[in-house]
Amino acid sequence: MLIYLLPLAAYLFGSISTAVLIARAMGLQDPREVGSRNPGATNILRYGGKTAAVLTLIGDILKGVIPVLIARALTADAVIITLCGFAAFLGHLFPVFFSFRGGKGVATALGVWFALNPWVGLALLATWILMALLFRYSSLAALAASALAPLYVAWLSPGTPYLATMIVMSAILIFRHRSNIRNLIAGTETKIGR
């Protein structure tokens, strides 16, 4: 029965807001109150510097990796394992410990997929890096990776639980970037490094 509580534990683990904790520890402003108001590595980078951004990125990725690895160690049930990944992702988006004001979920989703299938994780990371290098927009890189993610999963990690999870996660990621989409269309989106 404890196995069925794993998704709840994963959600609670995902609810730990790395960006907010790093900002507090380093004496920075709350990322939910400055810049894009998104508690994620990109926003932290813009006003807090590279060290804070890297620590935030690592923490957000681990929030996706650790719950999935624990679930995989305790069960072979693909539904439970993917639910744990999805729950950690939801925890990042809607953290119960931080008034449900979370990030957009890109790094945590990447961590989930590195733990579920490293090849999918590498494909997503390669897509993000390529798009970021070509166009210098973090949001566009995330949108491209999100759009291609279900194709990567269908190719590299076949199975209904995996594909269904990725389709839902991709849809949420794209929806969470709707303001970035408007800014990209208007030509007002901030480039990486600015």
Side-chain angles (χ1 to χ4, degrees):
M1 289 298 295
L2 290 177
I3 289 173
Y4 297 103
L5 295 177
L6 287 175
L8 175 60
Y11 168 76
L12 295 175
F13 188 74
S15 289
I16 300 170
S17 184
T18 310
V20 175
L21 295 179
I22 293 295
R24 288 177 183 173
M26 298 183 72
L28 302 170
Q29 289 178 272
D30 189 324
R32 298 169 298 175
E33 306 299 335
V34 65
S36 67
R37 301 182 186 272
N38 177 57
T42 301
N43 192 32
I44 288 279
L45 175 64
R46 290 183 183 132
Y47 79 92
K50 291 180 181 178
T51 300
V54 168
L55 291 173
T56 299
L57 180 64
I58 292 171
D60 285 349
I61 290 172
L62 288 176
K63 287 196 305 185
V65 170
I66 292 172
V68 173
L69 291 184
I70 291 173
R72 292 184 72 172
L74 296 175
T75 181
D77 188 330
V79 173
I80 295 295
I81 294 169
T82 54
L83 273 177
C84 284
F86 184 67
F89 172 70
L90 283 183
H92 177 80
L93 300 182
F94 308 106
V96 67
F97 306 125
F98 294 87
S99 304
F100 301 99
R101 294 174 62 193
K104 293 182 179 176
V106 176
T108 301
L110 180 64
V112 167
W113 284 99
F114 261 114
L116 287 173
N117 184 323
W119 292 111
V120 172
L122 285 171
L124 293 171
L125 181 60
T127 300
W128 192 96
I129 291 172
L130 178 63
M131 293 298 290
L133 288 174
L134 287 174
F135 299 102
R136 309 297 297 172
Y137 290 111
S138 176
S139 57
L140 182 61
L143 287 164
S146 299
L148 291 171
L151 298 178
Y152 294 150
V153 172
W155 174 37
L156 298 167
S157 191
T160 301
Y162 296 98
L163 185 57
T165 300
M166 183 50 99
I167 289 171
V168 175
M169 288 174 72
S170 291
I172 292 172
L173 284 167
I174 292 169
F175 179 76
R176 296 283 285 189
H177 281 81
R178 60 195 183 280
S179 63
N180 302 95
I181 294 171
R182 289 194 293 268
N183 291 340
L184 286 166
I185 293 171
T188 58
E189 182 74 347
T190 303
K191 289 192 173 185
I192 298 171
R194 289 188 180 176

